[in-house]
Amino acid sequence: MSNEIQLWPFAVYTLSVFLIVAIMVILSHFLGQRHKEKETGEAYESGIMTTGTARLRISPQFYVIAMFFLIFDLEAVFIITWAIAFKEVGWVGYLGILVFIGILLVVLLYEWRIGALDYAVSGKKIVKKFKQLNKEVI
Amino acid sequence: MNPIVQNLLIVFGVLFGALTMAAGLIWIERRMLGLWQDRYGPNRVGPFGIFQVIADMIKIFFKEDWIPPFADRTIFTVAPAIVVATVLLGFAIVPVAPNVFVVDFNIGILFFLATSSIGVYSLVLGGWSSNNKYSLLGALRGTAQMISYEVFMGLSLMGVVMMTGSFSLHSIVEAQQGMWFVVPQIVGFVIFIIAALAETHRLPFDIPEAESELIAGYHSEYSGMKFGMFFVGEYLGITLISALTVTLFLGGWLGPSFLPPFAWFSLKTLVVILFIVLLRAALPRPRYDQLLSYGWKVLLPLSLLNILVTGAVILATG
């Protein structure tokens, strides 16, 4: 196989994909029925009257996950570049990536220990605390 | 044949094949679920209910294209288009047979990872712009789940890349002449399947749209064809990850020569799809925090160790 990649089929493909998606959106816009009743404009929340807006504050746990993603995806970039060239760099490169992944595993262990990877309160911990409190009262 | 005509045929063939497979998959899944749950499934429209998909498609095009007055109109409309477009673009790199592919990027795997990451936007924007609390919850969960599992998905594929020495899917299939990568890379294979299922938020990991908790999650407010696009996007996603599993781990088009390469590829893809449907029929949905903890605490260390062991073994054996 030649090293030259033919790009124009991909361009045609991309254009057709966008075209299909656009047709799907636009066609249903014109084909669909329209009706307006008293409750049409209400948000669907299982039949309960909506109160307030849905622009709520987001729990900090989600920001923690986003940070982990940044840390480990950046790490993945380094591992990917090593993985493609690891035969050329040999054992020296392997040693390097070993240290690198070792540090990351330590970071992961640290996050694990401080409880950053627990996304909900553990039932066991609650029971333990409850028993402890009971003893103190008695 | 004229190479330009041939290329155009391949381009539209892949596009048509992907869309047909996604539509057909809706019928296959409902029939198979019916079989495994001891009931019929759709059996009225046409022989064995096979035209059910066409009936649904006609119906969904004529449904009201409702945009909630409280929603963010532009983003609300764009969101479902993103998922269909990105997944379809992912099909461009899948080699169906030795000479049948839209484009053979030398960064094939990275291209797939990139398109699947952009797919997250559809979920985030759709859930946020709906301005509905259930949608927002679904979108938040979905984002957390997808960006978590993206990391392991990328890392689980590195074993395959190391054994091949290339990101190109064409070279990866050719490197499996001696042995399919599923044997030496069994850990990577299992992690990839789990991560890919979480990435397409497919059952049992359909936590962003868990019906019993969140109505329909991030697409609660969607109706008509916009909902249909999320739906088609999901089925296209299943087809794509099955095709990629076959390409990366199960030898792609390789097989005994009594069947043409294309037939081997389709057959293997169908088997993987049926396996994914069986997973839906067999497994309950895990709790949200369990899924995330499982990923970070089990899959991430495992995929890192897999890379280290693979590297050591290859370097030691030369």
Side-chain angles (χ1 to χ4, degrees), chain B residues 180 253-261 263-264 268:
Chain B
W180 292 358
W253 66 74
L254 300 173
S257 59
F258 57 85
L259 278 178
W264 275 114
K268 288 178 193 170

Short mmCIF file of all heavy atoms in Angstrom, two decimals, chain B residues 180 253-261 263-264 268:
data_model
loop_
_atom_site.label_atom_id
_atom_site.label_comp_id
_atom_site.label_asym_id
_atom_site.label_seq_id
_atom_site.Cartn_x
_atom_site.Cartn_y
_atom_site.Cartn_z
N TRP B 180 -5.51 -13.68 16.49
CA TRP B 180 -6.35 -12.54 16.81
C TRP B 180 -5.87 -11.91 18.11
O TRP B 180 -5.46 -12.62 19.04
CB TRP B 180 -7.81 -12.96 16.97
CG TRP B 180 -8.43 -13.42 15.70
CD1 TRP B 180 -7.86 -13.44 14.48
CD2 TRP B 180 -9.76 -13.92 15.55
NE1 TRP B 180 -8.76 -13.92 13.56
CE2 TRP B 180 -9.92 -14.22 14.18
CE3 TRP B 180 -10.82 -14.13 16.42
CZ2 TRP B 180 -11.11 -14.73 13.69
CZ3 TRP B 180 -12.00 -14.62 15.94
CH2 TRP B 180 -12.15 -14.93 14.57
N TRP B 253 -11.55 -8.60 8.86
CA TRP B 253 -12.07 -9.38 7.73
C TRP B 253 -11.39 -10.74 7.61
O TRP B 253 -11.71 -11.50 6.71
CB TRP B 253 -11.90 -8.58 6.45
CG TRP B 253 -10.46 -8.38 6.07
CD1 TRP B 253 -9.63 -9.31 5.55
CD2 TRP B 253 -9.70 -7.20 6.23
NE1 TRP B 253 -8.39 -8.78 5.35
CE2 TRP B 253 -8.40 -7.48 5.75
CE3 TRP B 253 -9.98 -5.91 6.71
CZ2 TRP B 253 -7.38 -6.52 5.77
CZ3 TRP B 253 -8.98 -4.98 6.71
CH2 TRP B 253 -7.69 -5.28 6.24
N LEU B 254 -10.42 -11.04 8.47
CA LEU B 254 -9.68 -12.30 8.33
C LEU B 254 -10.56 -13.48 8.70
O LEU B 254 -11.39 -13.42 9.60
CB LEU B 254 -8.45 -12.28 9.24
CG LEU B 254 -7.43 -11.18 8.99
CD1 LEU B 254 -6.38 -11.21 10.06
CD2 LEU B 254 -6.81 -11.36 7.63
N GLY B 255 -10.33 -14.59 8.00
CA GLY B 255 -11.08 -15.81 8.28
C GLY B 255 -10.79 -16.82 7.20
O GLY B 255 -10.20 -16.48 6.18
N PRO B 256 -11.20 -18.09 7.39
CA PRO B 256 -11.01 -19.10 6.35
C PRO B 256 -11.61 -18.64 5.03
O PRO B 256 -12.58 -17.90 5.01
CB PRO B 256 -11.76 -20.32 6.90
CG PRO B 256 -11.80 -20.11 8.37
CD PRO B 256 -11.82 -18.64 8.59
N SER B 257 -11.01 -19.08 3.92
CA SER B 257 -11.29 -18.44 2.64
C SER B 257 -12.59 -18.90 1.98
O SER B 257 -12.87 -18.50 0.87
CB SER B 257 -10.12 -18.66 1.69
OG SER B 257 -9.94 -20.04 1.51
N PHE B 258 -13.38 -19.78 2.65
CA PHE B 258 -14.60 -20.19 1.96
C PHE B 258 -15.66 -19.08 1.96
O PHE B 258 -16.64 -19.15 1.25
CB PHE B 258 -15.17 -21.50 2.54
CG PHE B 258 -15.46 -21.46 4.02
CD1 PHE B 258 -16.66 -20.97 4.48
CD2 PHE B 258 -14.53 -21.94 4.93
CE1 PHE B 258 -16.94 -20.94 5.82
CE2 PHE B 258 -14.80 -21.91 6.28
CZ PHE B 258 -16.01 -21.41 6.73
N LEU B 259 -15.45 -18.06 2.77
CA LEU B 259 -16.34 -16.89 2.72
C LEU B 259 -15.50 -15.69 2.34
O LEU B 259 -14.34 -15.60 2.71
CB LEU B 259 -16.99 -16.66 4.09
CG LEU B 259 -18.21 -17.49 4.46
CD1 LEU B 259 -18.66 -17.16 5.86
CD2 LEU B 259 -19.34 -17.26 3.47
N PRO B 260 -16.08 -14.73 1.59
CA PRO B 260 -15.31 -13.51 1.26
C PRO B 260 -15.05 -12.67 2.52
O PRO B 260 -15.79 -12.79 3.51
CB PRO B 260 -16.24 -12.78 0.29
CG PRO B 260 -17.60 -13.33 0.53
CD PRO B 260 -17.40 -14.74 0.98
N PRO B 261 -14.00 -11.81 2.48
CA PRO B 261 -13.63 -11.01 3.67
C PRO B 261 -14.80 -10.21 4.22
O PRO B 261 -15.00 -10.14 5.44
CB PRO B 261 -12.54 -10.09 3.15
CG PRO B 261 -12.03 -10.72 1.93
CD PRO B 261 -13.11 -11.56 1.36
N ALA B 263 -17.95 -10.83 4.16
CA ALA B 263 -18.90 -11.67 4.88
C ALA B 263 -18.38 -11.99 6.27
O ALA B 263 -19.13 -11.98 7.25
CB ALA B 263 -19.14 -12.96 4.10
N TRP B 264 -17.05 -12.27 6.38
CA TRP B 264 -16.48 -12.54 7.70
C TRP B 264 -16.65 -11.35 8.63
O TRP B 264 -17.05 -11.49 9.79
CB TRP B 264 -15.00 -12.89 7.59
CG TRP B 264 -14.77 -14.33 7.29
CD1 TRP B 264 -14.23 -14.84 6.16
CD2 TRP B 264 -15.12 -15.44 8.12
NE1 TRP B 264 -14.22 -16.20 6.22
CE2 TRP B 264 -14.76 -16.60 7.40
CE3 TRP B 264 -15.72 -15.58 9.36
CZ2 TRP B 264 -14.96 -17.88 7.92
CZ3 TRP B 264 -15.92 -16.83 9.87
CH2 TRP B 264 -15.55 -17.96 9.15
N LYS B 268 -18.92 -11.47 12.04
CA LYS B 268 -18.34 -11.22 13.36
C LYS B 268 -19.02 -10.03 14.03
O LYS B 268 -19.31 -10.06 15.23
CB LYS B 268 -16.84 -10.95 13.22
CG LYS B 268 -16.02 -12.16 12.86
CD LYS B 268 -14.58 -11.72 12.71
CE LYS B 268 -13.73 -12.78 12.07
NZ LYS B 268 -12.41 -12.25 11.72
#
